[in-house]
Amino acid sequence: MTIYRSHVLVCGGTPCVLKGARTLKDLLLKEIERYQLSDEIRVVETGCLGPCDDGPVLIVYPEGAMYSKLKPTDILKIVEHHLLKGRIVEELVFRERKSSAGALQGSAVPLEQEKYLSLQKRVVLRNCGRINPDSIDEYIANNGYLALGQAVTTLTSDQVVKIVADSKLQGRGGAGFPTGLKWSFTAKTTSDQKYIICNADEGEPGTFKDRLIMEGDPHGIIEGMAIAGYAVGASQGIIYIRGEYGLSIERMKNAIKQATDYGLLGKKILGTEFNFEIDVRSGAGAYVCGEETALIESLEGNRGEPRVKPPFPGIAGLWGKPTIVNNVETLANIAPIILNGPEWFRSIGTENCPGTKVFTMLGDINNQGLVEVPMGITLREIVYEVGGGIPGGRGFKMAQTGGTSGGCLPSEFLDMPMDYDTLSKVGSALGSGAMLIIDDTHCIVDVLKSFMKFFCHESCGKCTPCREGTTRLYEIVLALSEGTATDTEIQLLKELSGAMQLSALCGLGQSAPNSLLTCLNFFADEFQAHLNGQCPSGICKNLTIESEAV
Amino acid sequence: MEMVKVTVDNQQVEVPKGSTILEAAKKVGIKIPTLCYHEDLDVKAMCRICVVEVVGARTLQAACSQPVSDGMVIITNSPAVRRARKINLELLLSNHPQDCLNCVRNQRCELQSLADQLGVQQQRFRPKTKTKSPRDESTAALIRDPEKCILCRRCVEVCHQVQSVGAISPANRGIDTEIAPAGGVDLNDVACVQCGQCSLVCPVGAIYEQDHTERVWSALADSSKHVVVQTAPAIRVSIGEEFGLEPGQVSTGKLVAALRRLGFARVFDTDFTADLTIIEEGHELLERLNKGGTLPMITSCSPGWIKFIEHFYPEYLAHLSTCKSPQQMFGALAKTYYAEKTGIDPKDIYVVSIMPCTAKKYECGRPEMTDSGYADVDAALTTRELAKMIRLAGIDFASLPEEEYDAPLGISTGAAVIFGASGGVMEAALRTVYEVVTEETLASVDFKAVRGLEGIKEAEVDLKGTKVKVAVANGLGNARKLMDLIKEGKADYQFIEIMCCPGGCIGGGGQPIPTTNAIREKRIKAIYDADLGLPLRKSHENPAVKTLYEEFLKKPLGEKSHHLLHTDYTKRGKYPEAANR
Ligand SMILES: Cc1cc2nc3c(=O)[nH]c(=O)nc-3n(C[C@H](O)[C@H](O)[C@H](O)COP(=O)(O)O)c2cc1C
Ligand code: SF4
Ligand code: SF4
Ligand code: SF4
Ligand code: SF4
Ligand code: FES
Ligand code: FES
């Protein structure tokens, strides 16, 4: 076995590839060969390393030096100075845009030494950026497939369900439904066929955590799915991946092939009676297709629209058979839970919502990107520590938590812990973990206009409140921004929002008014100003700025 | 049956497990308002009008689809419930033309009556600005008006599941959603069979029949025209419902009286040609049995069924009887035999038919239906359209006297009346074929095995040694099942009756709204009551038909019959290009 002096991890995430990472990798290999370093230095392509905005990036181990914004000439320098002579090329080393922070996922070793290391906790991203995602051997070398082995050889299905239930793991796809409970319903059914569906549709704008996990650690998902299959008695898995995620599809397919070649998927896994196969299917693209029953409809070749529940998929899902639908991140938690036990998992995060959560930080924040932190981190920590604060030192106006369907929280909530329970109590949600930070230069009405437009576009058209209501919400918010809304329309807006939350068929229509209602509540003055023909932020055209009017 | 206990508005009630909240509420006397829900269909949970509170649930629940569970506490009338229902209704109304006065469904519209029930009195949303697709008037039988559609999808289920045609489906998304033929083409460019079952379940005026009343009024007003009318067997058991009579009553005499008052010169009965059909078709069957013709032979009196087989099973057209439908036989004879007999120039004869069916409008316009030298039938009115004319004329239907059909084309037997129900053509044919073949009188004329709403029925008859196995299907979904059996070589029948509409013509697409399965049952019962009450119950005993053969046709399957009473069929494809050849 060859011992390599150094490993170079070249980011193979989509943004970096688009910026020429593959060409750089080829150049790197050529240069390494030219200096006859091929026996000493190994080049590995990895999943997204985190700071996509600064791509293409690569990391050299053991030093853990991350280089960013790379050009071909930089590669020549890195090979000549760092790889050949052992001197880090300081001027190319990646720096956080705001030096105080440093917990961006994947920014790897050098940053881990920085002071905010304590905020990070890698469970689902344990391998991302650290192993070659195209190598099952590296996954196995990092305890990969150990949990599956343990489960199928030493645990009964019921024991696996119990471990997951005891861990209190909640689904990471949005609703936060207890995973163990979900599995237990399906485990109790009898059927000739059951399915495990991994929901990798990831339709939430700006979010790409599931992609990162698939591209960085595909075997982690496969292992989670196989364990789920063993736990509930399913022999067929399906990964439903957003169509645009070309690299994820490629990586997942490759990983499935490797696992099948190694006998970790297929018939009689590890010599037991357990059979499990996985297919990859690519999604049609609509946001609502991420909703589990719409996803199933789409898999069956129908129009992507939610079904009436009950029956729930766990009882009658794909082709009418019991079906588990779990998010990528949920499944990536399974192997560590089996390996380390439920107590270990519950020691992370909060009491009711244990474990970690991958957050996507978007909007007016210095460090845009992904971070995995324990559940219950406060909004302030996310914004000012992990996220490096707001650009230009501007003030915090609000954060929309949980993606487009979440509520908006003003600064009073900065010290609120971010977990499923707490957020739902204040009319917001943790959702998939997208955090949109909005600074004080923005106008609430203007921001809401774009949120409402999103839902008009994404409503599937099946049920009345959402099909017709999303358009009406947008219409009234638009009227506010143009100064033509009336008091009674604001009243109607509230009534309509309430009716949608209570009576829409699926989560999309039910949560479409969340941002609007929280804003109506927390920024009442700003709405009143718009009714009076003023836009305090001076953003809505046709309206005056309050201070000028006075 | 396992029962569960639930509380609805403080009243305890026990219902079978799996019942919906709607059903449980009904049991305690609460009628929860609904819109997309239809008692015979699976479609539900779309409109969100029926929402109720379930204690402990995060959101309101759709009563039409939510099953009850033991101990469930339901509140059907709370401020939140009332508000959500009303908002949802207002949303629908705000995207709907304010056009009731000009609408076919005015005063017979589920949306309109809901607005009244839920107390909507004011339009709070801004007037609609977006327009939907234009009205589709491409087919001979139906008009689709996307502006009026409230997207309940009842029609989609009927077209796909009940009829297995699949001509219309939801298209586009969100606010742009419409029910439309695939690919944005016109209804005439897809394999729609024009059965009108969609128009029967539509709660509003978004799918309805092409109007033929105007042309009928003009003909009636034209003194140069001799306007005769024929009534299909199924009209007499349904027309009364349009005037407030309970479903299941036979109104033959009043129907005749009303038509006479509308000004028709002669009031005739399609039953006359139904009897004639039995003679022709019975002989055709015997000929096929004796001479090794294509079997099973399948009936051909239902134009929606004919269009269906032409689209979906064109390679099986040889199985169809070549007999025209009774409507078309009538038209062909009215403008030949009747014209000769009365000395009226056939060009001045105007034939109107009253049909339970929208596809009859399409049928009478088929290019081959001109064997008399003219359009054999000039106008086909649905039961609903006739009712509209009677109302317009100010005729008080309920108080009309009972009158008799005119001779000779109004004389018929009970065998013809039962054409109106699924299994009736088969039973009528068996009554005649048995007696013709065995030359014995039937002990009992009732073949009960082929009666009723069940989708596919079978029977076997012993014709003095030769056993004849028959099958009956109603609704095109069931027709498809039978055709697939034939395709797989698994159908050993000699004779099959197929009716396009569930229950047969009594459930046709032109019948009064509502037409539900429960109402169908009542109309079926009425049909057999009418049969029982008649002195003659076998087609070959019809004296007017006998005279027709003596005076004109000479013999069954003869040359004249061949020319006037038989037809051939057209291969059509499943797909737009082929459908539109
Ligand atoms: C409109 C809508 C979109 C959704 N999109 C996603 C998605 O992209 N990915 C996902 O995992 N779950 C999504 N969900 C949640 C799923 O319906 C489902 O709850 C989830 O996949 C279950 O997995 P979990 O229990 O592991 O969270 C969406 C839900 C709604 C209502
Ligand atoms: S809430 Fe919206 S997305 Fe969900 S079923 Fe209704 S129309 Fe479709
Ligand atoms: S469909 Fe009903 S509500 Fe609409 S215009 Fe016609 S009668 Fe009025
Ligand atoms: S007329 Fe019949 S075939 Fe045509 S759309 Fe309506 S239900 Fe479908
Ligand atoms: S056409 Fe009528 S039945 Fe069909 S969806 Fe529209 S309203 Fe419902
Ligand atoms: S894709 Fe390279 S850092 Fe994200
Ligand atoms: S009647 Fe229940 S949702 Fe339409």
Side-chain angles (χ1 to χ4, degrees), chain B residues 105 142 196-202 207-209 358 384 509 513:
Chain B
R105 291 295 290 274
L142 293 159
Q197 284 300 313
C198 48
S199 71
L200 217 46
V201 294
C202 182
I207 306 187
Y208 52 96
E209 63 270 60
T358 51
R384 300 191 290 265
I513 295 171

Side-chain angles (χ1 to χ4, degrees), chain B residues 167-354:
Chain B
I168 45 177
S169 313
N172 310 331
R173 302 186 70 84
I175 193 83
D176 298 323
T177 307
E178 283 181 12
I179 306 301
V185 300
D186 284 340
L187 191 58
N188 205 37
D189 295 336
V190 295
C192 163
V193 305
Q194 309 196 20
C195 65
Q197 284 300 313
C198 48
S199 71
L200 217 46
V201 294
C202 182
V204 293
I207 306 187
Y208 52 96
E209 63 270 60
Q210 288 274 8
D211 178 75
H212 280 192
T213 61
E214 279 309 322
R215 64 174 84 159
V216 173
W217 285 123
S218 313
L220 286 170
D222 183 344
S223 55
S224 70
K225 293 278 183 235
H226 179 75
V227 188
V228 301
V229 64
Q230 56 168 325
T231 64
I235 311 299
R236 64 209 70 195
V237 297
S238 64
I239 182 80
E241 294 166 30
E242 287 278 350
F243 302 98
L245 300 183
E246 274 300 303
Q249 302 197 21
V250 187
S251 318
T252 320
K254 290 189 193 309
L255 171 65
V256 174
L259 289 166
R260 226 163 247 143
R261 276 155 189 68
L262 283 174
F264 289 101
R266 292 287 181 283
V267 181
F268 290 140
D269 198 351
T270 315
D271 285 14
F272 170 78
T273 35
D275 278 333
L276 181 61
T277 302
I278 290 301
I279 307 299
E280 289 289 321
E281 201 164 274
H283 281 89
E284 187 184 358
L285 176 65
L286 292 175
E287 195 175 271
R288 290 195 191 200
L289 285 168
N290 294 335
K291 294 195 181 152
T294 309
L295 289 173
M297 186 177 89
I298 313 178
T299 58
S300 57
C301 31
S302 172
W305 151 242
I306 295 299
K307 196 160 187 276
F308 181 84
I309 186 174
E310 289 178 333
H311 281 299
F312 296 99
Y313 296 91
E315 63 282 22
Y316 291 91
L317 292 180
H319 287 264
L320 286 176
S321 158
T322 58
C323 286
K324 284 183 184 170
S325 73
Q327 155 169 285
Q328 293 307 135
M329 285 195 184
F330 181 97
L333 288 177
K335 294 193 182 180
T336 53
Y337 172 61
Y338 173 75
E340 269 175 34
K341 224 174 138 95
T342 53
I344 303 172
D345 187 340
K347 85 171 184 345
D348 294 330
I349 298 181
Y350 193 90
V351 177
V352 176
S353 44
I354 313 297

Side-chain angles (χ1 to χ4, degrees), chain A residues 171-174 177 182 199 201-203 287-288 290-292 325-327 330 507-508:
Chain A
R172 302 299 197 232
F177 191 82
K182 186 185 273 189
N199 187 344
D201 192 51
E202 195 152 65
Y287 175 60
V288 75
E291 195 281 337
E292 54 191 4
V325 181
N326 269 138
N327 175 251
T330 314
L508 190 146

Side-chain angles (χ1 to χ4, degrees), chain B residues 450-470:
Chain B
V450 295
R451 296 183 181 179
L453 262 189
E454 197 185 326
I456 297 178
K457 297 163 281 190
E458 287 182 341
E460 201 175 62
V461 198
D462 192 347
L463 297 179
K464 252 196 178 165
T466 2
K467 289 213 158 68
V468 175
K469 214 177 151 196
V470 303

